[in-house]
Amino acid sequence: MPSPDAAARHTGAGVARRQAHHERMRDERAREAAAGDAELPPEDDAVEMASAVHVLDSVAEVGPNYTLLRSKETKAKRRKRKREDARAALDGHSVLSTGSRLEIFCDSERWYPATVMAREEDGDGRIVHEVEYDG
């Protein structure tokens, strides 16, 4: 029966590259330690403890890197929405999804950019879009 070490032997071009990399890193660490530039762990006094509540309060909840997760639409709601969309499209109504960007032409002969914020069905079966104007 072969020894367990023989079964775990790695061969190939990658082995030599990995060993060369480890040697370079070992030499670099030795040079840093000899020059006194090695990073030392912080002193116990340098570490400041903060509660998670304090840290999370300081994090902005708006901005380009933070978006709120939307609740997942259930299958029943999705089917109902698709039925309403199809019926409205057949009736000649505009069907816009929430978050759609659009421009609205006004009586003053100007176009106003807006975003669809919500939509609901009116009493007579029409779809009514709630929009928020930019600026």
Side-chain angles (χ1 to χ4, degrees):
M1 182 168 166
S3 71
D5 295 333
R9 186 177 182 113
H10 296 282
T11 60
V15 174
R17 284 193 303 267
R18 184 174 60 245
Q19 286 176 341
H21 171 73
H22 287 297
E23 287 176 17
R24 284 192 305 270
M25 296 305 292
R26 191 176 320 119
D27 292 343
E28 183 179 335
R29 284 192 301 271
R31 280 192 306 273
E32 286 179 354
D37 295 338
E39 282 188 33
L40 299 175
E43 297 292 326
D44 290 337
D45 299 340
V47 177
E48 181 181 336
M49 300 300 286
S51 69
V53 173
H54 175 70
V55 173
L56 292 175
D57 285 343
S58 66
V59 175
E61 292 185 1
V62 294
N65 296 327
Y66 186 87
T67 57
L68 294 174
L69 297 175
R70 295 174 60 182
S71 61
K72 186 175 178 184
E73 187 178 29
T74 63
K75 189 183 288 186
K77 285 185 179 180
R78 184 174 56 251
R79 287 180 176 166
K80 180 182 177 190
R81 179 179 50 82
K82 289 191 178 277
R83 257 194 327 271
E84 290 172 354
D85 290 354
R87 186 179 62 222
L90 286 175
D91 292 341
H93 301 292
S94 297
V95 179
L96 302 172
S97 61
T98 303
S100 296
R101 303 276 303 145
L102 64 136
E103 289 186 343
I104 299 174
F105 189 70
C106 194
D107 295 336
S108 63
E109 304 284 324
R110 288 188 58 197
W111 289 93
Y112 293 95
T115 305
V116 176
M117 301 307 287
R119 70 179 193 185
E120 57 188 35
E121 193 170 334
D122 201 4
D124 59 354
R126 291 181 161 191
I127 293 180
V128 179
H129 296 91
E130 177 186 332
V131 298
E132 185 175 297
Y133 291 97
D134 299 346

